[in-house]
Amino acid sequence: MVDFLMPSLGADMDHGKIVEWLVKPGDYVRRGDIVAVVDTDKTVMDVETFHEGVVSELLTGIGETVPVGTPLARITPTPAETAPVQQEKTPKASSRPAPTPPVRHLAHRLGVEASKVQGTGKDGRVTRADIEKAVTAAPRKEVKSSPRARRLARESKVEMALVRGTGPGGAVTEADVRRYLLQSPDGSTTVQPADAPGTAGPPESEGQPPSNPPAGPPALHETPERADTLRRAIGTLMARSKKTIPHYYLTETLDLEQAVQWMTATNTQRAVADRLVASVLLLKAAAVAARDVPEVNGFFQHGEFQPAPSVHLGVAVALRRGGLVAPAIHEADTLPLDELMKRLKDLVSRARSGRLLRAEMADPTVTVTNLGDLGVESVFGVIYPPQVAMIGIGRVSEQAWARNGMLGIRHAAVATLSADHRVSDGLRGARFLNRMNELLQEPEEL
């Protein structure tokens, strides 16, 4: 018997509240399955289990707030050879990629066994569309709903069985339908990149047309009360950071002319939806530079620096009603630019809809904040403990540039580094910024 504990989702979290259980006693869970939704001072998060076995007991009820480390459920481990999976009947299940966490969450909520669904994604991966198709293909059952919800669903051509009801007895309300209409294909709320101040999200000026999605109620983490709580939590953590971490600061103006020219030429061969933006090149350069200068990538804990084996790049995301979260893009230094941009869009979307994963909040190894979309020239960030560095990026603009005795105009942006003097010094910090600049001179190699 093992306990599933309230996880720590960041250095500033000391308690959490269960807002939804995705399992019940008797359910079989595998390592990595999302089993609960936890509300913190910052956001609402999907939490996965690190154990495999059968859920024997839920110890914490919905709505209960408990400290980090409190047992939430008990799981009885099951040997792999006795696990209730009939491999002989589904020979392809083990060879195809597992569904992504949002798709597994959707399948669980809709009562669909993902392992029995024919996947149409890459290498047979089950997608959100596959789960929805499985639901609509099943025999129809009556869905409790309000008249206004049914009318909106009918006008919007939404299958009521796909909408999660939050009304009395699980009834679908009009707000539930509107929330569903705001969802993107991966199951998270769609966010237009243009309204992402303080993030590295793609700006509208890069050729992505704006749109006006139907208005709906704010997500739980977007209420005014949550915004106030979030600001207090951030303020407390930043005050602690400034008191305990000896910050030093460096700046460098990055020469982006080669990067912008390459990006522009590349984008002319692509559809608008597939075009790259400058912020993605900057993120990739920061991630690779952090790998090459490991003193900025890791944690200062228990009186010593612990370098991280991978670069999990935290990206500061501004929430609409105020406050920031900084979830991680895992192994960002290894991702091709197209994949990095895809993950960035997904991360910003899920951060705003309150559907982040535990690991995305718990393990960023270095964080980037980009205020360029707001016209800011430079930003000096405060390090998020126990990390040891924060990278700030200002706006990309045309600037006067002297080169080889000639004065011209080039695209450039100011990058800043806030770093922990207990771990590195100006020499290592300068090497990091210089490395970013070097990488951006060969954007095709990123």
Side-chain angles (χ1 to χ4, degrees):
M1 189 84 68
V2 294
D3 286 339
F4 170 64
L5 308 178
M6 173 64 74
S8 174
L9 307 175
D12 53 342
M13 176 181 169
D14 56 14
H15 63 270
K17 179 171 68 175
I18 293 288
V19 296
E20 184 180 1
W21 278 111
L22 303 178
V23 295
K24 61 183 182 301
D27 284 353
Y28 184 82
V29 295
R30 296 172 178 81
R31 181 182 176 89
D33 282 352
I34 298 172
V35 297
V37 181
V38 171
D39 182 13
T40 74
D41 286 340
K42 282 194 169 184
T43 189
V44 180
M45 219 166 301
D46 293 335
V47 179
E48 69 272 29
T49 177
F50 292 103
H51 307 290
E52 183 167 349
V54 176
V55 178
S56 57
E57 184 181 4
L58 301 182
L59 303 176
T60 305
I62 292 176
E64 288 190 48
T65 299
V66 297
V68 168
T70 300
L72 304 179
R74 288 202 170 98
I75 298 174
T76 301
T78 304
E81 61 269 17
T82 64
V85 179
Q86 298 180 6
Q87 295 291 346
E88 66 276 5
K89 292 186 178 181
T90 55
K92 295 183 180 180
S94 60
S95 60
R96 70 183 183 185
T100 61
V103 172
R104 294 203 304 269
H105 185 182
L106 177 67
H108 185 279
R109 178 163 60 79
L110 298 179
V112 175
E113 191 170 342
S115 62
K116 295 183 178 179
V117 175
Q118 181 66 39
T120 60
K122 184 178 180 181
D123 298 326
R125 186 191 297 272
V126 174
T127 66
R128 177 184 176 86
D130 297 329
I131 298 297
E132 292 180 342
K133 183 178 179 181
V135 172
T136 56
R140 289 177 175 268
K141 60 180 180 179
E142 183 179 355
V143 178
K144 293 175 61 177
S145 58
S146 69
R148 294 181 65 177
R150 290 194 295 272
R151 183 177 66 182
L152 178 60
R154 186 168 54 252
E155 292 172 352
S156 305
K157 298 181 180 179
V158 169
E159 178 65 45
M160 290 292 277
L162 300 176
V163 182
R164 177 186 176 192
T166 61
V172 176
T173 66
E174 181 184 20
D176 296 329
V177 179
R178 290 193 182 279
R179 189 157 36 241
Y180 179 84
L181 288 171
L182 288 172
Q183 288 183 335
S184 64
D186 66 357
S188 54
T189 301
T190 300
V191 177
Q192 293 304 314
D195 65 357
T199 76
E204 184 176 292
S205 60
E206 295 291 348
Q208 301 202 11
S211 63
N212 296 305
L220 175 64
H221 73 297
E222 291 280 23
T223 62
E225 294 79 10
R226 172 51 59 83
D228 290 341
T229 301
L230 176 55
R231 284 195 181 281
R232 286 195 297 271
I234 293 173
T236 299
L237 183 67
M238 295 299 97
R240 191 181 100 199
S241 173
K242 292 294 287 185
K243 288 179 180 178
T244 61
I245 299 177
H247 287 60
Y248 72 89
Y249 306 93
L250 300 174
T251 68
E252 179 166 348
T253 301
L254 304 174
D255 181 358
L256 301 182
E257 189 62 24
Q258 294 294 329
V260 170
Q261 288 187 9
W262 176 83
M263 182 185 69
T264 301
T266 299
N267 284 342
T268 59
Q269 309 298 321
R270 299 181 174 214
V272 172
D274 298 328
R275 290 177 181 173
L276 299 172
V277 294
S279 56
V280 174
L281 275 68
L282 289 162
L283 287 180
K284 180 62 181 292
V288 175
R291 180 192 67 200
D292 295 346
V293 185
E295 289 85 355
V296 304
N297 186 58
F299 309 101
F300 191 88
Q301 293 177 307
H302 310 300
E304 63 180 7
F305 175 56
Q306 301 169 9
S310 302
V311 179
H312 299 330
L313 193 67
V315 180
V317 178
L319 305 179
R320 289 191 183 88
R321 291 182 179 268
L324 292 168
V325 292
I329 299 176
H330 289 147
E331 299 181 337
D333 59 310
T334 68
L335 300 177
L337 289 173
D338 288 325
E339 179 64 19
L340 181 60
M341 185 159 178
K342 178 182 176 181
R343 294 201 190 180
L344 175 63
K345 289 181 179 179
D346 173 62
L347 197 69
V348 171
S349 176
R350 288 189 294 106
R352 295 236 177 91
S353 64
R355 304 308 306 196
L356 292 169
L357 299 175
R358 179 207 63 81
E360 292 169 337
M361 287 297 292
D363 65 359
T365 58
V366 63
T367 296
V368 175
T369 180
N370 180 1
L371 294 177
D373 291 351
L374 292 180
V376 173
E377 290 186 355
S378 60
V379 52
F380 295 84
V382 180
I383 299 169
Y384 186 96
Q387 296 172 39
V388 297
M390 166 76 78
I391 304 152
I393 298 175
R395 74 172 184 266
V396 177
S397 62
E398 291 184 326
Q399 299 183 22
W401 196 280
R403 188 181 183 90
N404 298 325
M406 301 293 291
L407 184 64
I409 301 296
R410 298 177 77 82
H411 287 88
V414 174
T416 66
L417 175 69
S418 307
D420 188 336
H421 233 317
R422 296 172 299 181
V423 176
S424 63
D425 53 27
L427 175 62
R428 303 304 294 174
R431 286 182 179 175
F432 169 81
L433 291 175
N434 290 338
R435 182 58 178 148
M436 271 192 72
N437 201 33
E438 290 173 0
L439 291 164
L440 290 164
Q441 305 317 304
E442 298 181 332
E444 67 280 359
E445 299 298 325
L446 288 174

